[in-house]
């Protein structure tokens, strides 16, 4: 298409009196001409920034920013009033995503859990893994390679790392008391008593879950390594059983945190909506982006409580637009299991809108359908930083805690609590499905203190109703009148 052909079109007749129009570069004329065509086709009378951004992407998918630069040159001559919208449209274009840093060497297959680190920080109540006894280090390296042990298979990497850290604490405790670090009844009692004393000093007191996990890792190492006598291994098993019973009688710390903060699923949804409202009125683009991400994270993960390792949703891989809604379809990797479960959730519109809020960004709402299609076409993670930067694995949990006040790991507990209170056993079963849990024991574990209190209150209320049904009406009125007098007297005091 040449310059004469473009300027002979009816849409250009109103600009022919501008002398500088004949000096415009051909690419600038072509970009402006395409704008007139897009406006006529879509029926747009007053384009906004998101219109220009969408037209740039459809006209020059490989280089929409260059297309907008040509348009800017044309509008400087023929429509200066539209220049701010073109500038804003350039800011709306998706930035090229920056690839995350490559996997470091210590996360390779040949992982050495006892590798020496010259810049390691000094430890106060533990030793470094390379300071463990030589035979223990050899056992840990064998486990890292996946070799079977004496009486147990090799643990997963996360478990092996936790086992190694417990052994480092155990070794420190034994050496501080003047003993060699060997797993025996005496050193076991010494270490566990020392740990209990330190836990008592914590703000929440001793947590039996920590004691159970500690005894469990020592027991796992004793069985895998074969370096511990059968008698001492049985003793560890008894301590593990005892701590497991104590743990069942103590509410998990996350239950207490939920009670302290008062967070509920509905409460989080209210916070999510408030964050999206704040984003709509925020003048700074980077802050708008952050608030939208935070609102979507609170709204989405409060109803689909994925674990930290599974929370990073990717368009076209774990997140799809199908049959008029967003569908989460992701494998669940708990402790890096070889046979992963799969979670498939078709979101209701009430919750799909949180994903839409991130997808649409600063674009006009009428472009939502196009933006969904573009997201599926381009792929990439749902949540990125401003200017398209990839997020770290801690980004989602960190934003969740910052804007909700509780840890990301409480989402499953919160959902269990709300569902059990309002819907009973059926609510617990539904919450287990959303939380990717299958064990019957898990349902019992997630019965928070608040749920038990509600159950007691319901029983008490039912008993009270039965008693009232058996009592004469006059006696009930006298009891209530006496109760009112007592309350008034206490108020006067």
């Amino acid at each position: 298409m040449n310059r004469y052909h473009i300027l002979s079109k009816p849409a250009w007749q109103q600009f022919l009196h501008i002398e500088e129009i004949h000096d415009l570069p051909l690419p600038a004329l072509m970009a402006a001409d395409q704008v007139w065509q897009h406006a006529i086709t879509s029926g747009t009378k007053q384009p906004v920034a998101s219109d220009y951004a969408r037209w740039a992407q459809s006209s020059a998918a490989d280089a929409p920013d260059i297309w907008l630069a040509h348009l800017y040159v044309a509008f400087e001559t023929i429509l200066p009033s539209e220049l701010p919208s073109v500038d804003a449209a350039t800011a709306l274009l998706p930035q090229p995503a920056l690839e995350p840093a490559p996997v470091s060497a210590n996360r390779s297959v040949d992982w050495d859990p006892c590798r020496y680190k010259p810049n390691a920080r000094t430890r106060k109540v533990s030793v470094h893994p390379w300071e463990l006894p030589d035979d223990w280090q050899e056992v840990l390296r064998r486990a890292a390679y996946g070799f079977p042990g004496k009486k147990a298979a090799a643990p997963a990497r996360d478990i092996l790392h936790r086992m190694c850290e417990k052994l480092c604490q155990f070794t420190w405790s034994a050496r501080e008391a003047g003993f060699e670090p060997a797993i025996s009844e005496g050193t076991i009692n010494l270490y566990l008593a020392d740990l209990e004393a330190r836990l008592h000093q914590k703000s929440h007191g001793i947590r039996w879950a920590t004691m159970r996990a500690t005894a469990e890792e020592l027991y796992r190492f004793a069985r895998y390594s074969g370096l511990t006598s059968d008698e001492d291994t049985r003793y560890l098993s008894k301590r593990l059983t005892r701590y497991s019973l104590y743990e069942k009688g103590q509410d998990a710390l996350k239950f207490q945190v939920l009670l302290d903060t008062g967070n509920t699923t509905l409460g989080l949804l209210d916070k999510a909506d408030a964050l999206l409202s704040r984003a709509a009125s925020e003048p700074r683009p980077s802050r708008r982006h952050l608030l939208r991400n935070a609102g979507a994270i609170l709204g989405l993960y409060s109803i689909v409580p994925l674990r930290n390792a599974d929370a990073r949703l990717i368009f076209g891989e774990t997140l799809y637009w199908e049959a008029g809604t967003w569908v989460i379809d992701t494998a669940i990797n708990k402790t890096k299991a070889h046979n992963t479960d799969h979670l498939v959730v078709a979101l209701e519109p009430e919750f799909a809108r949180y994903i839409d809020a991130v997808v649409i960004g600063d674009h006009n709402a009428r472009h939502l359908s196009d933006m969904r299609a573009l997201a599926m076409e381009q792929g990439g993670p749902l949540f990125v930083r401003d200017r398209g930067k990839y997020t770290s694995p801690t980004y989602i949990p960190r934003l969740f805690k910052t804007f909700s006040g509780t840890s990301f790991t409480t989402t499953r507990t919160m959902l269990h609590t709300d569902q059990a209170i309002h819907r009973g056993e059926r609510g617990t079963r539904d919450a287990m499905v959303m939380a990717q849990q299958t064990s019957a024991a898990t349902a019992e574990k997630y019965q928070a203190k608040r749920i038990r209190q509600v159950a007691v209150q319901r029983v008490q209320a039912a008993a009270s109703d039965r008693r009232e049904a058996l009592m004469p009406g006059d006696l009930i009125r006298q009891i209530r009148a006496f109760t009112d007098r007592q309350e008034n007297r206490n108020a006067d005091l």
Side-chain angles (χ1 to χ4, degrees), residues 309-323:
D310 309 306
R312 189 170 180 265
L313 298 175
I314 300 176
F315 293 109
E317 295 184 19
T318 56
L319 184 61
Y320 303 87
W321 177 256
E322 294 180 352

Side-chain angles (χ1 to χ4, degrees), residues 52 89 94 145 156 165 237 241 247 272 279 283 291 306 310 313 332 378:
Y52 291 124
Y145 277 98
E165 292 303 317
S237 178
T241 301
E247 181 187 10
L291 292 175
L306 296 173
D310 309 306
L313 298 175
I332 301 303
Q378 295 181 339

Side-chain angles (χ1 to χ4, degrees), residues 136-158:
W136 287 14
Q137 293 187 42
E138 184 61 29
V139 169
L140 293 173
R141 291 189 179 99
R142 282 181 52 84
Y145 277 98
F147 296 141
K150 296 293 183 180
K151 297 181 180 180
R157 176 175 292 194
D158 289 353

Side-chain angles (χ1 to χ4, degrees), residues 48-64:
V48 295
S50 58
D51 292 312
Y52 291 124
R54 289 296 306 133
W55 293 341
Q57 289 170 312
S58 61
S59 299
D62 295 334

